[in-house]
Amino acid sequence: MSKSILILDDRKTFVERLTEVLRLTDSTFDIVECLDVDTAWREFNSRSNWDVIVIDLMVPPGALFQDVDTGSGLNTGQIFAQRIVDSDVDFTSMYIHSSRNKGVGQDLVSHPKVKELPKSEYSNVDMADIIVGNRRV
């Protein structure tokens, strides 16, 4: 059985590299890569549950958040992640990451299924190991 993974990050290179590393593991994945929040929200709502959700906290707001103060995109991922937590769609685990300082999404990481993976502390290989379950945060 494959794990369903939703990745939201506006940096295409990061998404491609993380996907590539995940595919090198012994696990099977159904990976949905999203470079913008509008696509990510549509894809997120297309299923009743997800195994893993990976969200960059700093992404452009898109049409979904055109009327929301996202701090020029600095908080878009955090708002998006909160909407996921508040939704009826189930997920097994969510990993939020950012280039900014550790602790950006502290209100989110209090949720038992949400973990923070600061980009400054975790490589793509590290992130893949955590997503696959070979390593804990």
Side-chain angles (χ1 to χ4, degrees), residues 46 54-55 58 84 87 94 108-109 117:
S46 71
V54 179
I55 300 177
M58 297 181 349
I84 289 173
S87 77
M94 179 190 300
L108 283 169
V109 296
L117 296 177

Side-chain angles (χ1 to χ4, degrees), residues 31-49:
I31 300 173
V32 178
E33 303 172 359
C34 301
L35 301 175
D36 63 86
V37 292
D38 298 326
T39 303
W41 188 247
R42 191 170 45 256
E43 290 291 342
F44 170 74
N45 285 297
S46 71
R47 299 180 190 218
S48 60
N49 65 5

Side-chain angles (χ1 to χ4, degrees), residues 7-127:
I7 302 172
L8 168 60
D9 195 302
D10 60 327
R11 293 176 313 130
K12 186 175 182 172
T13 306
F14 170 80
V15 173
E16 289 172 346
R17 287 184 183 148
L18 180 58
T19 299
E20 183 180 320
V21 172
L22 284 168
R23 294 198 192 283
L24 292 173
T25 67
D26 292 334
S27 301
T28 306
F29 300 102
D30 176 15
I31 300 173
V32 178
E33 303 172 359
C34 301
L35 301 175
D36 63 86
V37 292
D38 298 326
T39 303
W41 188 247
R42 191 170 45 256
E43 290 291 342
F44 170 74
N45 285 297
S46 71
R47 299 180 190 218
S48 60
N49 65 5
W50 289 88
D51 291 307
V52 178
I53 301 170
V54 179
I55 300 177
D56 181 7
L57 293 181
M58 297 181 349
V59 292
L64 181 65
F65 295 118
Q66 67 184 359
D67 297 327
V68 177
D69 180 13
T70 63
S72 299
L74 294 176
N75 301 314
T76 304
Q78 188 166 344
I79 296 166
F80 183 83
Q82 189 62 56
R83 284 195 182 181
I84 289 173
V85 167
D86 294 342
S87 77
D88 292 332
V89 177
D90 191 30
F91 63 94
T92 304
S93 55
M94 179 190 300
Y95 299 101
I96 57 174
H97 64 100
S98 173
S99 305
R100 294 192 300 174
N101 296 334
K102 184 176 180 178
V104 172
Q106 282 306 305
D107 54 333
L108 283 169
V109 296
S110 64
H111 188 281
K113 295 182 180 180
V114 180
K115 304 285 186 248
E116 184 179 25
L117 296 177
K119 290 178 187 172
S120 61
E121 296 178 24
Y122 296 93
S123 69
N124 289 348
V125 173
D126 293 333
M127 285 186 183

